[in-house]
Amino acid sequence: MPRASDEASTLRVENLDVTYGRAVSALRSVSLDVPPGSVVTLLGANGAGKTTLLRAVSGTLRLHRGAVTAGGIRYGDTALDGQDPVAAVRAGVVQVPEGRRVFAGLTVDENLRSGGLGLGRRTPERIKEGRDRVFALFPRLAERTKQQAGLLSGGEQQMLAMGRALMAAPRLLLLDEPSLGLAPQMVERIADVIREINAQGTSVLLVEQNAGMALALADHAHVLEVGEVRLSGPAGELARTDAVRRLYLGETSETGGTGETGETGETGETGETRGTRGTGAAAPAGTERGVA
Amino acid sequence: MTGLLDTLLAGLALGAVYALVALGFVIIFKASHVMNFAHGSMLLLGGYLTAVLHEHLGFAAALAVGVLATAALAGAVDRVLLQRLPQDPKAAHVATIVTIGIDILLVTDLARRIGGDLLSLGDPWGDKVRTLGPVTVPDSRLAAVAVSALVIGAVFALFRYSRWGLSLRCAAEDTEAAALQGVRLGRTRMLAWCLAGALAALAAVFLAAFPATGLERTTGQIALKAFPAAILGGLASPVGALAGSLVIGLTEAFVITYQSDLHVLGDGLSDVAPYVVMILVLLVRPNGLFGAKGAVRV
């Protein structure tokens, strides 16, 4: 629970409505808080609106012809709804996009330099500080600074995408499906790093389909379904509810089958499942919407 | 032998000037996915301003005004007009066609002002030549090579080391990911247009200088030869634009020198040679000399 003194660095999403192209409603009256120092996770099937929520916070809705039509987003004293992405970065809120999205033709070093470009001119000392922190978390990146980012493995690219975001010294990190398409050991590594980043004082809003990993990491969890928050509660409690176990932890008689979602195919590393096979298929048919 | 060296130097100088134009063209394409067909007329504007102002202000100040005004115009065209169009990369054709309209407007007005005149830009090199060993070179050509090399070097350093250059390269690779780092997309793009405009205005000086006879209303069309240079270089590759420009410049110089030997192909071969070279290169390397996409692991 946030104390009054924490108000300055709490992300507060209130009664948020988001619409794409003026017609497709993607989020309806969504409310959630990310108190400082916490890890909050947002679960849900494809098309439930998880990525949309992150876009609304980071200010990239407009790039997808989306807009906040009601409600608001505040980080501390800063209103973030309707702002451009620079405002979020300056407020200390930085998103790691789904599918890594590293700058493939740029070197690892240049990718890291790109992190926090929105902060304006920074002293070389501050940049070095950020880089040292990233290399401490991801020693493997330190060995590959001159390498083209596109030639890194999927796991290394995820590390680079997270490292790039950390270069902006965020107080709140928005992570969109960091486990997507990664081998189980790599998912473990990423989970450890998220714990470490959080222990260093950065709060985390984690969007995941890998509900097992997310619930293990998070203090608090919300379940989105067709654009609305269906369940909320402490992660431990939520993990024990029947609905979550059935829908998101895959603990049903329905295993395998059509378990692969469309997204895994895109990553090119299929076959490395996320330990919760069946997540996508077990979701109610009604959640399949054209909105990501 | 002297003929060969002369031709090489002439080609190099020509290529250096084309490189200024082609580099701007490529920077604009990289930043905004727009082919700027108004590039030639922007060049003409820069040259025209330098020509009419140099008697009052002196060459250097007139050139500075020409360069800044052209940069401002290019930036304004992007910011005020093109950035308002739908920003879907697939809709970049619309912006490209808009630049054709701007080109027609600019060229029509400038042609009206210039008429049939040949305007001197008042450059300090005049028709002076100097003898370097076996060859005699116009000063203006040496200046073209030296200035282009310096300016292009500076542009590459900007690309590599400046925050603007990094922003531009990030945005060119992945607009949304760049936005998430806080890159100001609109400003980065506008500055790219400004820089390209400035480079074009500078190129006008050397296109009008000796051995050319001055700035005329068709000088902008000469700059069209930078288009095949950019395309055969790979369109989105600054290094490619440089290489392509040298290829085109050398080709043109050699064709002019040996035109009489190639008489079977008809007169005016030097005007079409750049396009022939472009087509031949694209037949062998469809992505251009430097257009091949780097390998990407996913």
Side-chain angles (χ1 to χ4, degrees):
Chain A
M1 277 290 103
R3 287 165 286 133
S5 60
D6 290 338
E7 199 61 21
S9 42
T10 295
L11 177 76
R12 179 149 289 171
V13 177
E14 267 175 321
N15 302 320
L16 192 73
D17 285 11
V18 170
T19 308
Y20 284 108
R22 297 198 182 144
V24 185
S25 165
L27 293 179
R28 277 178 305 281
S29 201
V30 169
S31 295
L32 61 85
D33 283 358
V34 183
S38 66
V39 177
V40 173
T41 186
L42 196 56
L43 305 174
N46 267 347
K50 308 184 300 287
T51 298
T52 296
L53 182 83
L54 293 193
R55 282 178 187 156
V57 176
S58 65
T60 49
L61 269 181
R62 215 173 303 163
L63 293 174
H64 300 270
R65 298 181 189 209
V68 171
T69 45
I73 304 165
R74 302 188 72 78
Y75 184 70
D77 299 329
T78 318
L80 290 182
D81 49 280
Q83 296 287 312
D84 60 11
V86 182
V89 172
R90 297 217 145 181
V93 179
V94 179
Q95 183 186 344
V96 180
E98 178 180 341
R100 281 96 66 169
R101 306 280 286 269
V102 296
F103 302 115
L106 273 56
T107 64
V108 167
D109 196 48
E110 288 170 333
N111 268 273
L112 291 178
R113 266 173 61 210
S114 77
L117 269 172
L119 298 180
R121 196 167 293 284
R122 288 166 295 167
T123 60
E125 293 82 52
R126 270 195 63 193
I127 293 178
K128 185 175 180 305
E129 231 168 72
R131 197 170 304 180
D132 289 347
R133 179 185 179 201
V134 171
F135 290 158
L137 284 168
F138 305 109
R140 225 190 284 185
L141 293 181
E143 301 157 17
R144 289 168 164 61
T145 51
K146 298 285 168 237
Q147 194 169 324
Q148 260 195 21
L151 300 175
L152 299 175
S153 74
E156 289 164 343
Q157 288 189 14
Q158 182 62 45
M159 294 177 185
L160 181 56
M162 290 171 71
R164 179 177 66 182
L166 290 174
M167 291 295 287
R171 292 190 291 160
L172 169 62
L173 195 61
L174 312 173
L175 294 172
D176 197 352
E177 306 253 6
S179 75
L180 187 69
L182 299 183
Q185 311 93 290
M186 189 53 77
V187 173
E188 271 307 305
R189 284 282 317 276
I190 298 292
D192 288 342
V193 170
I194 294 172
R195 268 188 207 100
E196 176 69 28
I197 291 169
N198 181 238
Q200 292 172 4
T202 304
S203 22
V204 176
L205 177 56
L206 173 65
V207 159
E208 261 300 339
Q209 292 220 11
N210 186 337
M213 167 202 177
L215 288 170
L217 278 173
D219 306 310
H220 217 82
H222 302 270
V223 176
L224 266 185
E225 234 169 59
V226 212
E228 290 177 56
V229 176
R230 164 100 180 266
L231 290 168
S232 293
E237 275 176 34
L238 229 62
R240 286 191 296 276
T241 61
D242 279 350
V244 170
R245 287 162 66 120
R246 188 164 40 79
L247 294 175
Y248 300 104
L249 296 175
E251 294 178 9
T252 55
S253 52
E254 286 176 41
T255 47
T258 55
E260 289 302 329
T261 62
E263 284 175 359
T264 13
E266 284 172 17
T267 66
E269 289 194 18
T270 44
E272 301 174 10
T273 55
R274 4 180 141 106
T276 55
R277 191 175 272 255
T279 303
T287 59
E288 293 300 324
R289 278 277 184 114
V291 186
Chain B
M1 188 58 206
T2 313
L4 184 65
L5 271 179
D6 273 338
T7 309
L8 267 177
L9 264 169
L12 194 63
L14 216 47
V17 179
Y18 290 158
L20 290 175
V21 184
L23 188 59
F25 192 69
V26 163
I27 290 171
I28 284 178
F29 183 78
K30 207 173 157 76
S32 53
H33 303 285
V34 177
M35 303 246 248
N36 178 26
F37 282 102
H39 216 71
S41 58
M42 286 176 180
L43 181 149
L44 190 60
L45 172 71
Y48 175 74
L49 288 175
T50 311
V52 295
L53 292 174
H54 82 267
E55 277 179 17
H56 310 288
L57 304 176
F59 171 70
L63 176 60
V65 172
V67 164
L68 289 176
T70 311
L73 175 83
V77 163
D78 181 52
R79 192 81 196 225
V80 179
L81 192 55
L82 304 182
Q83 287 193 18
R84 287 190 191 204
L85 303 172
Q87 288 310 306
D88 184 347
K90 283 174 224 142
H93 327 300
V94 177
T96 296
I97 291 167
V98 170
T99 66
I100 297 179
I102 291 166
D103 183 64
I104 290 171
L105 288 178
L106 263 176
V107 157
T108 307
D109 187 57
L110 288 168
R112 184 174 60 82
R113 288 164 191 273
I114 297 171
D117 294 349
L118 274 170
L119 304 178
S120 160
L121 266 53
D123 61 272
W125 308 291
D127 55 1
K128 285 184 287 239
V129 293
R130 63 185 65 201
T131 309
L132 299 174
V135 291
T136 306
V137 209
D139 277 6
S140 60
R141 282 197 169 146
L142 291 178
V145 174
V147 170
S148 294
L150 269 176
V151 169
I152 291 169
V155 170
F156 276 87
L158 269 180
F159 262 134
R160 184 165 279 260
Y161 301 110
S162 76
R163 286 161 29 78
W164 169 77
L166 186 61
S167 299
L168 177 69
R169 287 189 294 149
C170 290
E173 287 233 357
D174 188 331
T175 312
E176 184 174 13
L180 286 174
Q181 313 314 317
V183 168
R184 291 171 198 273
L185 300 171
R187 191 159 77 181
T188 303
R189 210 185 121 147
M190 181 189 72
L191 287 173
W193 278 76
C194 290
L195 178 62
L199 292 175
L202 183 63
V205 172
F206 297 109
L207 284 177
F210 185 79
T213 42
L215 190 83
E216 48 189 324
R217 60 184 174 187
T218 53
T219 300
Q221 288 166 23
I222 300 175
L224 285 180
K225 285 174 194 156
F227 290 148
I231 296 208
L232 79 83
L235 200 52
S237 160
V239 180
L242 206 56
S245 298
L246 288 178
V247 169
I248 297 292
L250 288 168
T251 304
E252 204 181 327
F254 274 94
V255 171
I256 289 172
T257 305
Y258 298 104
Q259 190 127 313
S260 52
D261 301 332
L262 300 167
H263 203 67
V264 276
L265 296 175
D267 289 335
L269 184 60
S270 65
D271 289 335
V272 295
Y275 299 93
V276 174
V277 170
M278 173 184 82
I279 290 167
L280 290 179
V281 168
L282 291 181
L283 281 175
V284 182
R285 289 186 62 96
N287 287 320
L289 294 172
F290 290 83
K293 279 231 150 201
V296 174
R297 232 162 112 176
V298 279

